[in-house]
């Protein structure tokens, strides 16, 4: 980055002296720089000479007051900046010397407008790279913005971002329009006043004071309306806040703009509210690109109903899975959901799934980003409708299962890392064609684990023992260490009780634990982190366990996991896993032979360990140190 060293110096100076946050530092630096930038357009805005950094520096004293006065005057001359400098009280926290150095250094910049645009982008990128700080979540990575804008393939018209943050997406749209010589009007809305102000400053440096950037809540008070209807746009891209709870639920359910006709909104997440707002804001031939998490694409309940209705209306054109850890300060995976009200004839009734999870570069500290070649590759696949094995595929809307829009549901990689085997390549067609294959639901009865509440006290003499994740180690249940509970609501307790020979599978978390319930006394339950399977009489539980622990079994289980922060294996997917069921006597013979071999190997390992110990003791005898210690256990 051309300007990184100087920007780093500015930031460090502000933070060390006044303990100013990153977002406050950006506000301070950008505000001062805007005064210098506007000197290039003095005639355009009729700015007098005294509204300049040079005039401020000539005075020398009381700089903070003078800067604030100049900024207030600029707001009066440049209507686009009205209210932008409201946070100018930050200057009062700096010493006169520090402020003088900052003013004089920025005053010395002899940039063109293009150089100023590069400089402001460097400032925002630098702030975004400082992960984990307040306000950084408002920044959408530049690569994600470029990708989304290029997918829209704008040819002129009106562009809208209803969760504009620091206006990075609006600026990316403006830059695309400039490069492709088309006129694109910009519209945006942001609820965070600080972000709104910074977004306006960013647009100023992009010479887009014609942009319409409103303050306020996009969901409850959409800014762009025409009469009693929402204004419609040709293109939309939004990176809205993920999983935000809806506070004004009743207001949205009685929405005067009739935005939520595709289903009832859940209270716990506003994701679908933003998606439906974007859809309602599109013209009849409009297209939208929305940044969403995995959960938005697969969660059940009310969200699944909305996705079903969007599928029925054939509004979803593409789902693109991007790498995890692209967003600063968050390791979650994101996707681009492409809505199109005017699909081409050849794409009607189909969705193009693209798995771009492995398209990324890495910077220091393992941080990922989209390289130019990654963006180019994804754009080409989307626009040309390319189908590439394990990367992209058109799927008929009729084939979408349970309104699940996760790309890996339809595009599974054939190469997985399976412990302890390392990287393994699988052949899905061969698995399907194994002899005597049956879905798991046909060879056993399923039951769920119990969710222990705060009222269910752990007690030494409780009547029920509960198997938790930590109680399963190396494929075995540590029966002797199970905690006992007094469970208050035990009306359906029998449905959670395990029996000897049941197979339990962990369904939450990255690692999958599998065990067979051993002989035991008393009532034992499984926690909600497990699903229990009671195999039918023609299935040996250890045969089932060994298959599920095999590379093939692990591949089948891991490929069905879903989740944003915590991976989950749901019961329906588990029920449909294909199991090759050999004759019962053959199962028992196979397992008996396997267990005998395992016992023989363990005995050999014990013997080798004993030999290793004896060899070490002989060495210590020769070294003359053996008499200095006694082994307490042999």
């Amino acid at each position: 980055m051309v300007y990184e060293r100087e920007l780093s110096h500015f930031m460090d100076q502000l933070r060390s002296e006044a303990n100013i946050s990153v977002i406050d530092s950006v506000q301070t630096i950008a505000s001062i720089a805007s005064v210098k930038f506007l000197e290039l357009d003095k005639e355009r805005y009729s700015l007098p000479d005294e509204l300049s950094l040079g005039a401020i520096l000539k005075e020398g004293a009381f700089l903070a007051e003078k800067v604030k006065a100049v900024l207030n005057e600029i707001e009066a001359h440049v209507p686009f900046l009205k209210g932008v400098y409201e946070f100018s009280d930050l200057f009062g926290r700096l010493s006169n010397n520090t402020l003088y150095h900052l003013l004089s250094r920025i005053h010395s910049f002899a940039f063109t407008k293009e150089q100023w645009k590069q400089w402001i982008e460097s400032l925002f990128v630098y702030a975004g790279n400082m992960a984990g700080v307040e306000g950084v979540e408002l920044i959408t990575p530049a690569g994600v913005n470029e990708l989304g804008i290029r997918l829209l393939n704008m040819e002129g018209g009106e562009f809208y971002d209803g969760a504009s943050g620091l206006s990075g997406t609006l600026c990316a749209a403006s830059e695309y329009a400039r490069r492709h010589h088309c006129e694109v009007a910009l519209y945006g809305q942001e609820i965070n006043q600080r972000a709104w102000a910074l977004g306006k400053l960013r647009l100023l440096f992009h010479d887009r004071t014609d942009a319409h950037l409103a303050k306020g809540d996009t969901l409850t008070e959409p800014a762009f309306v025409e009469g009693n209807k929402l204004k419609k746009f040709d293109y939309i891209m939004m990176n809205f806040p993920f999983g935000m709870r809806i506070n004004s639920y009743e207001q949205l359910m009685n929405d005067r703009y009739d935005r939520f006709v595709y289903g009832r909104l859940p209270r716990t997440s506003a994701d679908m509210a933003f998606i439906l707002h974007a859809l309602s804001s599109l013209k009849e031939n409009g297209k939208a690109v929305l940044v969403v998490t995995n959960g938005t694409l697969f969660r059940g309940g009310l969200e699944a109903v909305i996705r079903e209705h969007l599928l029925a209306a054939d509004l979803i054109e593409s789902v693109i899975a991007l790498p995890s850890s692209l967003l600063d300060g968050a390791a979650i995976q994101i996707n681009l959901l492409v809505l199109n009200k005017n699909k081409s004839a050849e794409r009607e009734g189909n969705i193009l799934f693209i798995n771009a999870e492995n398209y990324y570069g890495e910077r220091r500290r393992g941080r990922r980003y989209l390289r130019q070649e990654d963006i180019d590759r994804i754009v080409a696949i989307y626009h040309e409708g390319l189908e590439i094995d394990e990367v992209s595929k058109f799927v008929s809307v009729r084939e979408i299962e349970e309104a699940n829009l996760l790309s890996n549901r339809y595009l599974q990689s054939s190469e997985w890392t399976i412990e302890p085997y390392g990287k393994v390549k699988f052949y899905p067609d061969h698995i399907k064609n194994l002899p005597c294959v049956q879905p798991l639901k046909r060879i056993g009865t399923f039951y769920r684990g119990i969710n222990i509440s705060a009222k269910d006290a752990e007690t030494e003499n409780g009547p029920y023992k509960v198997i938790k994740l930590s109680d399963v180690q190396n494929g075995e249940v540590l029966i002797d260490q199970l905690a006992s509970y007094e469970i208050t609501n035990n009306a359906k307790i029998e449905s959670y009780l395990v029996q000897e020979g049941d197979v339990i599978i962990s369904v939450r978390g990255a690692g999958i634990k599998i065990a067979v319930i051993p002989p035991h006394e008393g009532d034992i339950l499984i926690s909600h982190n497990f699903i229990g399977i009671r195999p039918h009489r023609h299935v040996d539980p250890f045969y089932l366990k060994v298959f599920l622990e095999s590379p093939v079994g692990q591949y089948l289980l891991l490929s069905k996991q879903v989740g944003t922060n915590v991976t989950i294996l749901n019961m329906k997917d588990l029920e449909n896993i294909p199991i090759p069921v050999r004759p019962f006597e053959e199962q028992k013979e196979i397992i008996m032979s396997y267990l005998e071999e395992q016992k023989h190997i363990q005995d050999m390992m014990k013997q080798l360990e004993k030999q290793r110990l004896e060899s070490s003791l002989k060495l210590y005898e020769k070294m003359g140190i053996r008499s200095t210690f006694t082994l307490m256990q042999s």
Side-chain angles (χ1 to χ4, degrees):
M1 190 190 301
V2 178
Y3 308 104
E4 182 172 0
R5 180 174 297 179
E6 185 146 46
L7 290 171
S8 174
H9 176 68
F10 284 165
M11 290 281 198
D12 290 344
Q13 194 170 16
L14 295 178
R15 295 180 72 192
S16 62
E17 176 173 314
N19 195 26
I20 293 179
S21 69
V22 169
I23 207 72
D24 286 342
S25 298
V26 173
Q27 184 90 39
T28 302
I29 296 168
S31 295
I32 292 173
S34 69
V35 180
K36 181 67 176 179
F37 176 80
L38 284 168
E39 291 178 23
L40 297 175
D41 272 330
K42 288 172 61 176
E43 291 76 16
R44 177 180 174 186
Y45 297 111
S46 302
L47 294 173
D49 291 340
E50 59 265 24
L51 298 185
S52 66
L53 295 188
I56 296 172
L57 288 166
K58 284 180 180 178
E59 299 295 332
F62 305 107
L63 291 177
E65 290 83 354
K66 288 183 172 60
V67 171
K68 285 188 283 186
V70 166
L71 293 178
N72 289 336
E73 280 296 312
I74 286 176
E75 285 192 17
H77 285 78
V78 186
F80 178 76
L81 296 177
K82 184 66 176 174
V84 165
Y85 300 118
E86 188 173 326
F87 302 97
S88 58
D89 61 321
L90 294 169
F91 297 108
R93 294 162 61 182
L94 302 176
S95 69
N96 220 43
N97 285 340
T98 296
L99 189 51
Y100 183 87
H101 171 76
L102 191 59
L103 290 165
S104 59
R105 184 66 189 119
I106 292 176
H107 179 53
S108 71
F109 294 163
F111 293 161
T112 63
K113 282 192 173 183
E114 182 61 28
Q115 289 173 322
W116 272 116
K117 182 172 64 178
Q118 294 172 7
W119 183 87
I120 199 69
E121 286 307 305
S122 296
L123 175 62
F124 279 92
V125 169
Y126 182 78
N129 287 339
M130 302 179 74
V133 296
E134 181 185 359
V136 168
E137 68 275 5
L138 298 163
I139 299 175
T140 302
V144 175
N145 273 331
E146 182 184 344
L147 173 60
I149 297 299
R150 287 179 62 183
L151 294 176
L152 290 174
N153 199 27
M154 297 186 295
E155 297 178 347
E158 295 177 314
F159 175 87
Y160 170 64
D161 180 359
S164 57
L166 300 177
S167 293
T169 306
L170 291 171
C171 291
S174 176
E175 188 64 16
Y176 178 94
R178 184 186 67 83
R179 290 198 309 266
H180 289 81
H181 309 290
C182 59
E183 296 292 330
V184 175
L186 303 179
Y187 293 80
Q189 185 167 356
E190 173 55 40
I191 193 172
N192 183 309
Q193 189 168 341
R194 176 68 61 84
W196 170 85
L198 278 170
K200 279 219 161 187
L201 285 173
R202 194 175 194 175
L203 286 164
L204 170 71
F205 284 93
H206 280 256
D207 206 20
R208 290 306 303 261
T209 54
D210 61 334
H212 307 273
L213 189 59
K215 282 186 286 189
D217 189 331
T218 294
L219 295 181
T220 59
E221 298 175 358
F224 305 107
V225 296
E226 295 174 342
N228 60 351
K229 295 181 179 180
L230 291 180
K231 178 176 174 57
K232 306 290 186 179
F233 301 94
D234 300 287
Y235 311 102
I236 294 174
M237 182 175 175
M238 290 172 57
N239 178 14
F240 50 78
F242 305 140
M244 183 182 77
R245 186 175 180 83
I246 299 177
N247 294 321
S248 305
Y249 186 77
E250 297 305 325
Q251 181 180 345
L252 291 188
M253 291 314 300
N254 295 289
D255 181 50
R256 57 181 169 171
Y257 302 110
D258 205 24
R259 288 173 288 178
F260 310 115
V261 296
Y262 287 95
R264 188 174 180 82
L265 298 173
R267 291 179 182 270
T268 53
S269 172
D271 292 6
M272 282 298 169
F274 280 107
I275 290 171
L276 295 183
H277 168 76
L279 188 60
S280 298
S281 301
L282 277 179
K283 290 182 179 178
E284 287 308 307
N285 60 347
K287 183 186 291 188
V289 173
L290 306 171
V291 181
V292 299
T293 63
N294 287 350
T296 310
L297 300 176
F298 79 86
R299 282 191 295 259
L302 296 174
E303 290 179 275
V305 172
I306 294 173
R307 291 197 304 273
E308 286 173 2
H309 292 159
L310 294 178
L311 289 167
D314 199 17
L315 291 163
I316 300 171
E317 182 172 45
S318 185
V319 178
I320 303 169
L322 297 179
S324 59
S325 301
L326 284 182
L327 298 181
D328 293 307
I332 62 173
Q333 182 185 7
I334 57 174
N335 308 264
L336 297 185
L337 177 66
V338 184
L339 305 178
N340 192 346
K341 284 191 172 183
N342 187 31
K343 282 187 179 183
S344 61
E346 61 269 20
R347 296 199 182 192
E348 287 182 357
N350 294 292
I351 297 175
L352 177 59
F353 286 94
I354 302 174
N355 183 356
E357 294 178 1
N358 297 317
Y359 292 179
Y360 63 87
E362 282 193 346
R363 294 192 175 96
R364 57 183 180 274
R365 298 193 299 273
R367 298 181 62 193
R368 296 176 175 177
Y369 69 102
L370 295 179
R371 299 166 298 189
Q372 196 60 52
E373 60 262 35
D374 301 322
I375 297 170
D376 293 343
R377 188 181 297 125
I378 297 167
V379 169
I381 292 171
Y382 170 77
H383 284 307
E384 297 174 29
L386 303 178
E387 290 193 291
I388 303 172
D389 190 32
E390 300 183 12
V391 173
S392 58
K393 178 182 179 181
F394 280 103
V395 177
S396 168
V397 169
R398 295 188 300 273
E399 296 176 41
I400 303 298
E401 305 167 353
E402 300 176 318
N404 190 322
L405 297 176
L406 284 175
S407 291
N408 64 12
R409 188 84 171 191
Y410 312 98
L411 287 165
Q412 289 188 359
S413 172
S414 62
E415 294 186 359
W416 288 70
T417 299
I418 307 291
E419 296 300 335
Y421 306 97
K423 200 165 190 177
V424 182
K425 184 173 179 61
F426 295 95
Y427 307 96
D429 290 339
H430 294 191
I431 296 172
K432 292 177 185 176
N433 295 325
L434 288 171
C436 306
V437 168
Q438 297 183 43
L440 188 49
K441 63 184 175 183
R442 289 190 183 175
I443 65 174
T445 303
F446 284 68
Y447 59 96
R448 298 184 183 276
I450 189 170
N451 194 359
I452 301 296
S453 70
K455 296 179 181 179
D456 301 321
E458 182 177 337
T459 175
E460 187 174 344
N461 298 315
Y464 303 105
K465 293 185 176 181
V466 178
I467 300 173
K468 301 189 288 292
L469 285 174
S470 59
D471 299 321
V472 176
Q473 302 291 337
N474 300 319
E476 294 185 358
V477 180
L478 306 180
I479 290 289
D480 295 336
Q481 77 170 31
L482 300 182
S484 297
Y485 284 84
E486 186 74 47
I487 298 177
T488 54
N489 183 13
N490 60 4
K492 299 179 180 179
I493 204 74
E494 285 75 17
S495 62
Y496 307 114
L497 291 171
V498 302
Q499 294 180 12
E500 179 183 346
D502 287 357
V503 177
I504 61 173
I505 302 176
S506 65
V507 292
R508 284 179 175 80
I512 296 176
K513 295 185 174 185
I514 304 167
V516 176
I517 300 297
H520 60 274
E521 296 180 357
D523 292 332
I524 297 179
L525 318 170
I526 52 174
S527 76
H528 70 289
N529 291 315
F530 290 96
I531 284 178
I533 306 170
R534 191 155 295 150
H536 295 161
R537 292 184 177 180
H538 66 283
V539 178
D540 183 281
F542 290 97
Y543 177 87
L544 178 58
K545 174 179 181 288
V546 168
F547 173 78
L548 293 174
E549 289 176 333
S550 72
V552 174
Q554 288 294 293
Y555 162 72
L556 293 170
L557 292 171
L558 291 170
S559 65
K560 296 298 183 183
Q561 285 186 324
V562 296
T564 302
N565 297 318
V566 178
T567 54
I568 298 171
L569 184 63
N570 67 57
M571 184 178 284
K572 189 152 190 177
D573 286 336
L574 191 57
E575 289 176 336
N576 290 316
I577 285 177
I579 307 291
V581 183
R582 307 183 78 85
F584 184 64
E585 291 303 320
E586 193 174 335
Q587 294 177 39
K588 293 188 72 65
E589 183 180 339
I590 291 170
I591 291 302
M592 187 66 70
S593 173
Y594 170 76
L595 292 177
E596 287 177 358
E597 287 181 0
Q598 290 296 304
K599 186 176 184 307
H600 177 64
I601 291 169
Q602 288 176 359
D603 290 343
M604 290 176 62
M605 290 175 66
K606 286 181 181 178
Q607 184 62 35
L608 288 171
E609 179 60 26
K610 183 178 179 182
Q611 291 178 14
R612 186 196 67 79
L613 178 62
E614 290 174 353
S615 175
S616 297
L617 293 176
K618 286 179 182 178
L619 171 66
Y620 303 148
E621 190 75 46
K622 291 177 181 179
M623 293 172 66
I625 60 173
R626 179 67 185 86
S627 61
T628 64
F629 66 91
T630 300
L631 299 180
M632 303 302 292
Q633 294 181 348
S634 60

